[in-house]
Amino acid sequence: KNQVEQSPQSLIILEGKNCTLQCNYTVSPFSNLRWYKQDTGRGPVSLTIMTFSENTKSNGRYTATLDADTKQSSLHITASQLSDSASYICVVSVPSNTGKLIFGQGTTLQVKP
Amino acid sequence: NAGVMQNPRHLVRRRGQEARLRCSPMKGHSHVYWYRQLPEEGLKFMVYLQKENIIDESGMPKERFSAEFPKEGPSILRIQQVVRGDSAAYFCASSPRQADGYTFGSGTRLTVV
């Protein structure tokens, strides 16, 4: 069964600190792996997209890594801000003619002042 | 460009009533995807449509749920005879090409009482 598992389920950090979120997937093969940010009451917004041949991708203070051999990805947030408080979702795209995405359950990050 | 517009944002229905959720894709996007997010769970794929065609409905419950994307007007997700278990957030995404450039709407939160 294609699955995407994320850890930790939730995380609290102080403003200015760094953090790393983990994603393990069993989806195989896959087209690409994405990290989304979902604010409360909003739809997911894309942060990074990586194909299986890419090891790292950055978007400002967000850096995603991918190890296709171990089927693991991480999202590193540098110098966290209060506005980073949100749910971060790891998403794997299945190669098909339908564009179906498989979502992890997300990591809820709370940044405190 | 107003992005992907979903309405209503919140919908309350009594058991047995019908729920109609609307999604207007971004301008120039002809691919629409519906996802459901149950409480404390990740988004789950429901259906993928192009104009006037259902491409993949493998995630749709076999009864009471239907979707359409007419030539003119928004995509509609219709749930007949709603039950409490239908309470969830329903997200629509659109893209200009298959499986690429997803943009999500802010979702419709359905509550069945």
Side-chain angles (χ1 to χ4, degrees):
Chain A
K1 181 181 177 183
N2 288 332
Q3 281 194 322
V4 179
E5 300 287 339
Q6 292 185 243
S7 63
Q9 188 172 2
S10 61
L11 183 63
I12 300 174
I13 62 173
L14 293 176
E15 186 179 12
K17 297 296 185 183
N18 305 333
C19 67
T20 300
L21 314 180
Q22 301 292 342
C23 173
N24 295 324
Y25 61 93
T26 59
V27 181
S28 182
F30 76 98
S31 293
N32 52 62
L33 186 145
R34 311 160 185 237
W35 282 92
Y36 281 84
K37 178 185 179 186
Q38 185 177 19
D39 292 308
T40 301
R42 310 293 296 180
V45 175
S46 180
L47 295 175
T48 62
I49 299 176
M50 292 181 291
T51 65
F52 66 88
S53 61
E54 295 179 285
N55 299 120
T56 186
K57 183 72 70 80
S58 290
N59 178 3
R61 295 180 296 103
Y62 301 105
T63 299
T65 64
L66 174 62
D67 185 334
D69 291 330
T70 61
K71 294 186 171 56
Q72 294 180 326
S73 176
S74 66
L75 180 69
H76 186 74
I77 304 175
T78 304
S80 61
Q81 301 175 358
L82 297 179
S83 59
D84 291 334
S85 296
S87 179
Y88 291 84
I89 309 172
C90 176
V91 184
V92 177
S93 174
V94 179
S96 69
N97 62 349
T98 65
K100 187 184 302 185
L101 300 179
I102 300 177
F103 283 73
Q105 78 276 29
T107 292
T108 301
L109 174 66
Q110 186 176 359
V111 180
K112 290 192 168 183
Chain B
N1 194 334
V4 177
M5 303 301 293
Q6 289 190 248
N7 66 82
R9 288 296 306 275
H10 300 275
L11 181 62
V12 179
R13 283 288 177 266
R14 295 187 184 279
R15 280 179 295 172
Q17 290 185 321
E18 178 180 287
R20 279 184 177 241
L21 288 61
R22 295 175 188 78
C23 169
S24 296
M26 285 185 69
K27 188 176 181 181
H29 288 194
S30 59
H31 302 258
V32 166
Y33 314 81
W34 285 93
Y35 286 80
R36 176 165 65 175
Q37 186 173 31
L38 294 170
E40 307 302 323
E41 293 189 16
L43 279 74
K44 296 286 196 301
F45 170 81
M46 298 183 75
V47 62
Y48 162 45
L49 311 103
Q50 292 182 31
K51 281 288 187 182
E52 299 185 274
N53 290 306
I54 297 174
I55 308 301
D56 182 353
E57 56 182 348
S58 58
M60 289 276 272
K62 297 210 183 315
E63 298 179 349
R64 302 188 297 107
F65 284 72
S66 62
E68 63 177 9
F69 188 15
K71 186 177 180 181
E72 301 291 337
S75 176
I76 305 288
L77 179 67
R78 182 181 177 207
I79 311 172
Q80 295 177 294
Q81 299 176 317
V82 296
V83 300
R84 287 231 170 96
D86 296 333
S87 295
Y90 292 83
F91 289 95
C92 168
S94 72
S95 66
R97 295 168 297 280
Q98 184 186 89
D100 187 30
Y102 276 80
T103 300
F104 280 86
S106 293
T108 292
R109 275 141 194 87
L110 171 66
T111 302
V112 179
V113 298

